[in-house]
């Protein structure tokens, strides 16, 4: 009984005591009312700590935290970091004696244009091909194996067409992109609504980013980078619905 | 996708941060910095491990860096005698008193106490989250609880703690 330690007593308070120790601890406490009241005080403390800011749990979180959780500010920061990098190059440019005005112009423009990137291009491709009635895709879903093999070969990596609940695959096509070929898969539900998944190479990224959301007119786009590919899912859906579909895509590509 | 899990964890992170740093605005700033840092270092998270525990680790690091930046590094010596308590006016367990007493704990003890008592972490999880040995978790927890009790009930309540081991 004397081998009951403070660790045992703390574990008793927290419900983390191994069952085999329980009898020893209870016997120890039975003979020591002071210790019993000390542990009772710790239990009261534990309950009070949970009560203390319980209201915070029920509050809807502030928008800035939701944005941070969704990685939106992170995206903006990454963009700022790229600007910072560009600024560094400008300083370097000045140091080697180029004219400041020209450098500023030359370095800023591509950075500024690159920002919306994949989301914008995916939305444009979506708007271009989804209204097509006769030729929405180059290769139909009836030749899916051929389609996937062809797009994988052209993109230089294993491309897959995920299955989307309620939106069967229509087919896909190859598109020209800024830095090489791009795959577009098209899906359509019973009421004729179409979604497109835009897949392109993201050379050298290797990283995974958060889901990000952009809107181009009526078209919503969720886009992200996973390993060496950039993905953008576009559709005229509510943000939440589109998010649910994007999550399906992500899960299937990361089994 | 993990964005949804991050969003779902916001209330827990906010409550913990509130208890850790005290005021609402600093707590939300801490949560925001934590989420941003978590995304920036997301590649360091190991798939299949507990995302919640990882976020608490990130928060611990962000808060520690902040304290360092503000030059309010706690010089608390774990083995120093516990003296100069400010007894509560009465022995009642008032939440306001608890909040004040909690703020008087060294941050190291506060973190352990909150992870265990508020977040229900096992001692092993708390040790992993804070990157400290489990023995240190136990001694901080034990000292933190006793110190809080004395702050709430006055020094006459103090007892000599058993050794952790």
């Amino acid at each position: 009984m004397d081998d009951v330690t403070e660790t045992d007593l703390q574990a008793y308070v927290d419900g983390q005591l191994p069952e085999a120790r329980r009898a020893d601890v209870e016997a120890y406490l039975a003979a020591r009312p002071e210790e019993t009241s000390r542990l009772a005080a710790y239990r009261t403390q534990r309950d009070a700590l949970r009560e203390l800011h319980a209201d915070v749990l029920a509050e809807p979180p502030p928008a800035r935290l939701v944005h941070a959780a969704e990685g939106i500010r992170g995206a903006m920061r990454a963009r700022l970091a790229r600007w910072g990098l560009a600024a560094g190059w400008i300083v370097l440019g000045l140091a080697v004696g180029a004219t400041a005005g020209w450098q500023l112009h030359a370095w800023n423009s591509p950075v500024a244009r690159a920002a919306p990137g994949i989301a914008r291009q995916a939305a444009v491709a979506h708007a271009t091909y989804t209204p097509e009635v006769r030729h929405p895709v180059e290769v139909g879903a009836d030749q899916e194996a051929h389609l996937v093999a062809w797009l994988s070969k052209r993109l230089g990596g294993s491309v897959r067409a995920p299955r989307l609940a309620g939106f069967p695959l229509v087919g896909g096509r190859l598109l020209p992109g800024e830095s090489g070929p791009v795959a577009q898969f098209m899906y359509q539900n019973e009421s004729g609504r179409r979604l497109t998944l835009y897949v392109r190479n993201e050379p050298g990224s290797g990283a995974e980013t958060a889901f990000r959301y952009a809107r181009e007119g009526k078209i919503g786009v969720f886009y992200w980078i996973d390993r060496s590919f950039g993905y953008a899912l576009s559709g005229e859906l509510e943000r939440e619905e589109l998010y649910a579909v994007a999550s399906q895509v992500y899960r299937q590509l990361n089994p | 996708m993990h964005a949804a899990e991050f969003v779902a964890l916001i209330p827990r992170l906010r409550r913990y941060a509130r208890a850790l740093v005290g005021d609402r605005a600093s707590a939300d700033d801490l949560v925001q910095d934590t989420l941003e840092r978590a995304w920036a270092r997301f590649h360091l998270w190991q798939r299949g491990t507990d995302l919640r525990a990882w976020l608490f680790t990130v928060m611990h690091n962000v808060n520690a860096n902040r304290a360092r930046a503000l030059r309010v590094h706690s010089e608390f010596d774990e083995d120093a005698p516990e003296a100069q308590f400010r007894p509560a006016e009465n022995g009642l367990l008032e939440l306001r008193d608890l909040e004040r007493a909690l703020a008087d704990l060294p941050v190291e003890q506060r973190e352990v106490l909150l992870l265990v008592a508020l977040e229900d972490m096992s001692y092993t999880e708390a040790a992993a989250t804070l990157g400290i040995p489990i023995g240190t978790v136990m001694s901080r927890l034990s000292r933190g609880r006793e110190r809080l009790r004395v702050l709430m009930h006055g020094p006459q309540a103090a007892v000599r703690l058993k050794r952790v081991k």
Side-chain angles (χ1 to χ4, degrees), chain A residues 239-250:
Chain A
R239 182 177 169 152
E240 287 71 13
E241 295 174 88
L242 194 62
Y243 178 80
V245 180
S247 306
Q248 279 182 46
V249 173
Y250 180 83

Side-chain angles (χ1 to χ4, degrees), chain A residues 2 4-7 9-11 13-14 16 28 34-35 38 41-42 44-46 48-54 56-57 59-62 64-66 68-71 73 77 208-211 226 243 247 250 254, chain B residues 1-4 6-7 10-12 14-15 18-19 24-25 28-29 31-32 35-36 39 42 47 93 95 98-99 102 113-114 116-118 120-123 138 141-142 145-146 148-149 159 161-165:
Chain A
D2 277 348
V4 169
T5 63
E6 181 65 19
T7 292
L9 299 179
Q10 295 293 333
V13 172
D14 292 313
Q16 295 191 32
Y28 171 88
E34 263 198 15
E35 287 288 81
R38 176 166 74 97
Y42 294 169
T44 312
Q45 217 179 67
R46 197 182 147 94
L49 281 171
R50 284 156 175 270
E51 203 186 321
L52 184 58
H53 296 300
V56 177
L57 282 188
E59 275 174 29
R64 65 173 172 127
L65 298 188
V66 176
E70 287 172 338
R73 260 191 68 142
R77 254 193 204 177
E208 179 177 83
T209 67
F211 266 4
D226 190 10
Y243 178 80
S247 306
Y250 180 83
N254 289 274
Chain B
M1 189 55 206
H2 304 295
F6 274 39
V7 172
I10 296 176
R12 299 282 290 264
R14 285 185 84 207
R15 177 179 67 163
R18 184 75 187 281
R24 170 180 290 265
D28 282 351
D29 285 349
V31 174
Q32 182 166 351
L35 291 165
E36 286 172 3
W39 276 127
F42 195 63
R47 247 168 225 286
L93 199 63
L95 289 183
L98 175 66
E99 193 172 0
L102 193 60
L113 184 58
L114 293 174
V116 171
L118 197 61
D120 271 331
M121 279 194 187
S122 71
Y123 303 144
M138 296 321 298
L141 181 63
S142 161
R145 277 187 162 142
E146 184 55 16
L148 204 54
R149 189 170 78 101
V159 294
L161 292 181
K162 288 173 72 74
R163 291 189 54 83
V164 167
K165 277 181 185 160

Side-chain angles (χ1 to χ4, degrees), chain A residues 12-100:
Chain A
Y12 186 70
V13 172
D14 292 313
Q16 295 191 32
L17 188 69
E19 203 47 46
R21 297 291 292 150
R22 173 172 296 274
D24 284 345
V25 170
E26 280 170 357
Y28 171 88
L29 290 174
R32 292 170 180 80
E34 263 198 15
E35 287 288 81
T36 307
S37 78
R38 176 166 74 97
L39 297 198
Y42 294 169
R43 280 232 166 94
T44 312
Q45 217 179 67
R46 197 182 147 94
D47 294 341
L49 281 171
R50 284 156 175 270
E51 203 186 321
L52 184 58
H53 296 300
D55 54 329
V56 177
L57 282 188
E59 275 174 29
R64 65 173 172 127
L65 298 188
V66 176
H67 291 160
E70 287 172 338
I72 290 170
R73 260 191 68 142
M76 281 170 61
R77 254 193 204 177
R79 213 171 295 156
L80 285 174
R82 281 202 294 276
W83 277 87
L85 192 66
W89 282 108
I90 294 165
V91 171
L92 193 66
L94 284 171
V96 294
T99 57

Side-chain angles (χ1 to χ4, degrees), chain B residues 52-97:
Chain B
R52 178 183 71 115
W54 183 69
L55 283 175
F56 279 105
T57 300
V58 174
M59 186 180 281
H60 163 71
N61 292 336
V62 169
N63 197 41
N65 288 343
R66 233 187 214 196
R68 223 168 282 139
L70 291 170
R71 298 267 178 275
V72 290
H73 181 67
S74 164
E75 294 291 332
F76 184 73
D77 175 357
E78 300 228 353
D79 290 321
E82 300 185 357
Q84 327 122 353
F85 292 117
R86 179 167 50 72
E89 288 78 35
N90 55 46
L92 291 177
L93 199 63
E94 297 271 354
L95 289 183
R96 209 175 42 242
D97 288 345

Side-chain angles (χ1 to χ4, degrees), chain B residues 18-45:
Chain B
R18 184 75 187 281
L20 187 68
V21 304
D23 77 289
R24 170 180 290 265
S26 323
D28 282 351
D29 285 349
L30 176 60
V31 174
Q32 182 166 351
D33 289 353
T34 299
L35 291 165
E36 286 172 3
R37 189 180 169 94
W39 276 127
R41 327 198 94 214
F42 195 63
H43 56 284
L44 296 178
W45 175 63

Side-chain angles (χ1 to χ4, degrees), chain A:
Chain A
M1 233 164 66
D2 277 348
D3 65 348
V4 169
T5 63
E6 181 65 19
T7 292
D8 290 326
L9 299 179
Q10 295 293 333
Y12 186 70
V13 172
D14 292 313
Q16 295 191 32
L17 188 69
E19 203 47 46
R21 297 291 292 150
R22 173 172 296 274
D24 284 345
V25 170
E26 280 170 357
Y28 171 88
L29 290 174
R32 292 170 180 80
E34 263 198 15
E35 287 288 81
T36 307
S37 78
R38 176 166 74 97
L39 297 198
Y42 294 169
R43 280 232 166 94
T44 312
Q45 217 179 67
R46 197 182 147 94
D47 294 341
L49 281 171
R50 284 156 175 270
E51 203 186 321
L52 184 58
H53 296 300
D55 54 329
V56 177
L57 282 188
E59 275 174 29
R64 65 173 172 127
L65 298 188
V66 176
H67 291 160
E70 287 172 338
I72 290 170
R73 260 191 68 142
M76 281 170 61
R77 254 193 204 177
R79 213 171 295 156
L80 285 174
R82 281 202 294 276
W83 277 87
L85 192 66
W89 282 108
I90 294 165
V91 171
L92 193 66
L94 284 171
V96 294
T99 57
W102 184 85
Q103 284 288 329
L104 200 69
H105 179 75
W107 284 109
N108 279 357
S109 315
V111 174
R113 264 205 310 273
I118 188 169
R120 187 173 178 82
Q121 287 149 24
V124 168
H126 180 90
T128 307
Y129 294 105
T130 50
E132 278 281 348
V133 179
R134 292 185 59 194
H135 304 291
V137 296
E138 287 177 88
V139 180
D142 53 329
Q143 300 178 64
E144 192 185 337
H146 165 64
L147 169 69
V148 166
W150 171 53
L151 293 175
S152 296
K153 188 174 168 206
R154 294 302 304 273
L155 265 72
S158 172
V159 176
R160 287 166 53 201
R163 295 268 164 278
L164 306 184
F167 286 87
L169 182 69
V170 177
R173 64 168 65 241
L174 194 67
L175 301 171
E178 270 181 339
S179 52
V182 176
Q184 186 195 48
F185 293 106
M186 192 178 295
Y187 299 85
Q188 180 175 323
N189 70 1
E190 278 184 353
S191 56
R193 182 160 291 198
R194 287 171 170 175
L195 298 176
T196 57
L197 180 65
Y198 189 88
V199 186
R200 73 174 190 191
N201 275 306
E202 289 289 340
S205 70
E208 179 177 83
T209 67
F211 266 4
R212 281 157 197 165
Y213 181 73
R215 208 163 181 94
E216 290 281 341
K218 285 183 185 167
I219 304 168
V221 185
F222 268 106
Y223 58 107
W224 67 97
I225 293 173
D226 190 10
R227 285 167 286 204
S228 59
F229 286 118
Y231 297 90
L233 182 77
S234 312
E236 291 180 37
L237 290 184
E238 287 304 313
R239 182 177 169 152
E240 287 71 13
E241 295 174 88
L242 194 62
Y243 178 80
V245 180
S247 306
Q248 279 182 46
V249 173
Y250 180 83
R251 276 197 303 273
Q252 287 184 41
L253 298 173
N254 289 274

